[in-house]
Amino acid sequence: MPNRKTKSQAHTFVGAIDQGTSSSRFLIFDASNLELVTYHQEPIKCLTPQPGWVEQDPNEILEKTTLCMEKAVEKFEGLGHQKSDIKAIGVTNQRETTILWDKQTGKVLHNALVWLDARTQETVDFLLKQYNKRQDCLQEQCGLPISTYFSALKIRWLIDNKEEVRQAIEAKRCMFGTVDSWLLYNLLSNDGKIVHVTDVTNASRTMLMNIRTLKWDSSLCHFFSIPEHILPEIKSSATIFGHINKGPLQGVPVGAVLGDQQAALVGQKCWSKGTAKSTMMQTKKCPIFIWLFFHEIGTGCFILYNTGEDLAYSRNGLLTTVAYKWNDDDAVYALEGSIAIAGECIKWLRDNLEIIPDSQSTEKIAASVSDTGGVYFVPAFSGLFAPYWRSDARGLITGMTQYTTKAHIVRAALEGICYQTREITDAMYDDSGVRLSKLKVDGGMANNKVFLQMLANIVGLNVSAPSLFETTALGVALAAGKAKGIDLFELDDEDEIETKMSSFIPRIQGKEREAHFQAWKKAVIKSFERFTPPFNIENKGVHDDKSHLSSRAIAWATITTLFGVLLYMSSHHH
């Protein structure tokens, strides 16, 4: 168990706001044994006014979050507990999602632009053309490629397209925030004192924070033409942000804020540096485990490995991000691979095609056939993230015959997520030169055993999943208890959370695995609208293994070969 201070061990609880893309939740954990006591969850609507556009109502996000807090506390008291025993609250949230609002009235200036919203592609193209720059030109400063994914592009689009936003900026009344900032503005501001804050993990996903200094960077703000006065104050992940201003938890301190992937990293006990037990790669030389988080069913998938206090840059489209920062300690960094669409393709099969009744049924349906019958599903609904960063890619299902059934398509959808994961583990190997030995899985799809076996087969690694699926909320609860002044948890090298794991080992041979992977790569190529090379980052002194061809290299070799064949056939035809 994590080390705790001796005070109030028997009757101390920690709350966690978990605001995700498809729902808001409030969970309450027992600080003495980290068991989940109770929770309440409410769904959040996603609005899609145009293809590729994804919005949410910030007021719904706030209202559903406060409702979850009220309902969870009711259940907590119904179990015989006292709400006064909840000593701290942590906030974890969907990252990059962008909200602008009026500082004085709190009125939102536009719906939230969700992280997977792709409307800013024209803004990306304009900036690259205006400055005559590569997509990775800001990587040294912010760790990220110029992409529709990140907040700066969304802010820029709102400024360019919404008069109300421009007027609020001119009047110095506009506030920007990711979801954490919006919630804290409403939950903590009191008696005329406006709270406009974020933490380093969320700020590291905006493209506006300098990844080294952990401060807003004036040159980055200038690049995107975004005024610094709209930005929140950046604080550590674990520190007292303020106290809840109303409701049943009035007066309770908010002790932590973490982006959702980083919170799950903490919940998976990845705070111990350099230990073989860690589920993350701690340095380039010390390897071993990487951690894979499937966002709530309906959204994305993220793969991280921890690089400690050292910054690491990828040449394969992986992101440099802040893992966490405790109080006055130095920040800890990570490399991250992001997949835009994972569970979303399952949701699409359920809601749009209506060929499955619910997401849980995919396990049984996929198991009813032994393979996909040659069908491949590339779920590029909003482009492809790492390692390609291709916003022009579009989803496709290929290889269908009259033999194909819905079971083959469902199985191919699950396999598509696995192949994208393989792409990122290949990129991590290409960057580090270290063969990963284990994949630890968490999140909405980690309880699908058929999927986990597919993942082991396709990636070629042992896969394990924890029995506790609430690691995101647990992570931010632990972080809140780590805050100076709350001091419930140490989270030091001796801390250990015992977690039961289910394990899956690869059941197919390497030759068969590679043949399927090459067929997947051909399907990916077909999803590209433009015939240009995929995203590439220059070699920044990372280990180079010439005997290893990354999935990115294989894709481009295949594309040029196909193009050569087409040219040859065309010349002979004429």
Side-chain angles (χ1 to χ4, degrees):
M1 287 300 139
N3 295 336
R4 293 174 301 280
K5 303 295 184 184
T6 55
K7 60 178 184 180
S8 308
Q9 282 188 23
H11 300 289
T12 299
F13 301 86
V14 182
I17 293 170
D18 182 0
Q19 204 301 302
T21 315
S22 56
S23 70
S24 285
R25 302 190 301 162
F26 188 74
L27 305 91
I28 302 170
F29 294 92
D30 187 329
S32 67
N33 57 19
L34 301 179
E35 288 182 0
L36 177 63
V37 179
T38 189
Y39 76 98
H40 188 79
Q41 180 169 353
E42 292 285 339
I44 302 289
K45 292 176 186 171
C46 273
L47 311 170
T48 52
Q50 293 188 38
W53 293 28
V54 187
E55 300 179 0
Q56 288 180 331
D57 179 356
N59 291 312
E60 184 193 5
I61 291 173
L62 175 63
E63 289 160 10
K64 292 288 181 68
T65 300
T66 54
L67 178 62
C68 287
M69 294 169 73
E70 291 165 6
K71 294 292 186 183
V73 170
E74 279 180 25
K75 294 176 184 177
F76 183 69
E77 291 182 318
L79 292 170
H81 302 294
Q82 302 292 320
K83 66 182 181 182
S84 58
D85 289 332
I86 300 174
K87 300 301 185 185
I89 293 169
V91 177
T92 181
N93 57 284
Q94 52 172 313
R95 306 170 304 169
E96 297 96 18
T97 295
T98 296
I99 305 172
L100 299 180
W101 69 94
D102 186 295
K103 175 165 60 174
Q104 300 302 328
T105 65
K107 178 190 172 188
V108 295
L109 301 174
H110 191 272
N111 274 342
L113 302 192
V114 176
W115 55 274
L116 50 71
D117 183 286
R119 76 184 66 188
T120 56
Q121 185 54 46
E122 285 186 8
T123 309
V124 172
D125 294 341
F126 172 78
L127 287 168
L128 294 178
K129 187 175 180 181
Q130 179 187 28
Y131 292 107
N132 192 26
K133 295 286 190 180
R134 291 166 51 94
Q135 200 171 357
D136 62 334
C137 65
L138 302 178
Q139 188 196 20
E140 289 281 355
Q141 289 166 274
C142 66
L144 309 171
I146 299 174
S147 164
T148 60
Y149 185 19
F150 305 110
S151 306
L153 281 303
K154 302 178 194 299
I155 300 171
R156 183 70 249 160
W157 188 92
L158 288 165
I159 293 172
D160 290 341
N161 290 277
K162 299 298 169 183
E163 177 64 25
E164 190 176 3
V165 169
R166 292 194 293 272
Q167 289 176 355
I169 287 174
E170 286 175 21
K172 300 279 180 80
R173 292 169 67 98
C174 180
M175 284 185 156
F176 155 75
T178 41
V179 171
D180 56 305
S181 299
W182 167 245
L183 291 176
L184 294 180
Y185 167 83
N186 286 283
L187 295 175
L188 304 183
S189 297
N190 208 355
D191 296 329
K193 183 187 177 187
I194 292 173
V195 176
H196 188 209
V197 293
T198 189
D199 92 299
V200 288
T201 66
N202 281 291
S204 74
R205 314 296 293 197
T206 62
M207 296 202 77
L208 300 173
M209 187 188 81
N210 187 295
I211 199 74
R212 297 177 184 275
T213 66
L214 307 182
K215 298 180 185 302
W216 300 123
D217 189 304
S218 57
S219 66
L220 290 171
C221 290
H222 176 74
F223 182 92
F224 293 103
S225 300
I226 292 171
E228 284 188 61
H229 66 77
I230 74 171
L231 305 177
E233 177 189 356
I234 302 173
K235 299 173 77 82
S236 294
S237 307
T239 188
I240 294 180
F241 286 78
H243 297 77
I244 299 294
N245 56 22
K246 60 186 173 185
L249 295 175
Q250 184 173 359
V252 178
V254 171
V257 173
L258 283 166
D260 48 13
Q261 271 52 259
Q262 285 90 337
L265 177 155
V266 176
Q268 286 274 27
K269 56 182 179 178
C270 299
W271 57 78
S272 181
K273 287 182 63 181
T275 60
K277 289 182 181 179
S278 172
T279 57
M280 305 284 292
M281 185 176 294
Q282 299 291 351
T283 70
K284 294 198 174 174
K285 294 179 182 176
C286 142
I288 335 235
F289 305 119
I290 77 171
W291 171 80
L292 169 63
F293 177 80
F294 288 100
H295 210 292
E296 308 154 81
I297 197 78
T299 46
C301 160
F302 306 86
I303 307 174
L304 292 90
Y305 66 84
N306 185 319
T307 59
E309 293 168 9
D310 300 318
L311 275 170
Y313 292 102
S314 169
R315 60 182 179 184
N316 287 295
L318 303 181
L319 311 176
T320 302
T321 196
V322 179
Y324 55 81
K325 184 180 187 300
W326 302 149
N327 301 302
D328 298 324
D329 296 351
D330 290 336
V332 171
Y333 294 97
L335 279 177
E336 175 178 328
S338 306
I339 297 170
I341 303 297
E344 179 68 27
C345 62
I346 307 303
K347 188 178 175 186
W348 180 77
L349 293 175
R350 181 193 70 194
D351 297 342
N352 293 41
L353 295 194
E354 298 181 354
I355 63 173
I356 58 172
D358 51 54
S359 55
Q360 289 75 25
S361 64
T362 57
E363 184 167 9
K364 184 177 180 181
I365 294 170
S368 70
V369 290
S370 58
D371 56 40
T372 66
V375 174
Y376 290 87
F377 189 148
V378 182
F381 294 163
S382 55
L384 290 171
F385 284 177
Y388 297 103
W389 297 102
R390 296 287 299 243
S391 59
D392 64 312
R394 287 296 173 264
L396 62 81
I397 302 174
T398 185
M400 290 186 290
T401 67
Q402 70 271 27
Y403 167 75
T404 303
T405 67
K406 74 174 184 180
H408 294 108
I409 293 173
V410 169
R411 191 175 181 96
L414 294 175
E415 285 194 355
I417 302 167
C418 301
Y419 284 121
Q420 289 181 97
T421 304
R422 161 77 188 266
E423 304 248 37
I424 292 176
T425 59
D426 274 10
M428 287 181 169
Y429 168 57
D430 198 44
D431 280 335
S432 67
V434 177
R435 283 286 185 200
L436 304 168
S437 65
K438 190 174 186 179
L439 199 58
K440 198 165 188 178
V441 180
D442 188 20
M445 298 183 71
N447 55 359
N448 185 327
K449 292 181 172 56
V450 171
F451 168 75
L452 294 175
Q453 186 58 57
M454 286 181 190
L455 186 63
N457 290 346
I458 288 170
V459 178
L461 294 172
N462 291 347
V463 170
S464 60
S467 55
L468 172 69
F469 296 114
E470 306 298 345
T471 50
T472 305
L474 174 61
V476 83
L478 288 168
K482 173 70 174 176
K484 187 176 180 181
I486 295 173
D487 304 310
L488 290 172
F489 308 120
E490 295 291 344
L491 307 191
D492 61 20
D493 291 345
E494 291 150 23
D495 294 340
E496 181 75 30
I497 303 171
E498 294 295 334
T499 310
K500 293 180 181 178
M501 307 292 289
S502 302
S503 295
F504 301 83
I505 60 172
R507 290 181 181 168
I508 65 172
Q509 297 301 311
K511 193 172 181 181
E512 180 185 354
R513 179 181 303 118
E514 293 308 309
H516 291 317
F517 188 52
Q518 294 314 309
W520 157 262
K521 299 300 299 187
K522 290 177 183 177
V524 170
I525 291 162
K526 292 175 185 175
S527 78
F528 297 160
E529 182 182 320
R530 299 193 301 265
F531 222 55
T532 55
F535 179 72
N536 180 32
I537 294 181
E538 294 172 1
N539 188 337
K540 291 185 168 59
V542 193
H543 175 87
D544 184 22
D545 185 345
K546 291 183 173 59
S547 66
H548 174 70
L549 274 178
S550 70
S551 56
R552 172 180 49 83
I554 293 167
W556 188 235
T558 311
I559 250 184
T560 50
T561 304
L562 285 173
F563 194 41
V565 170
L566 286 170
L567 286 174
Y568 176 80
M569 291 174 67
S570 175
S571 63
H572 278 255
H573 178 73
H574 294 295

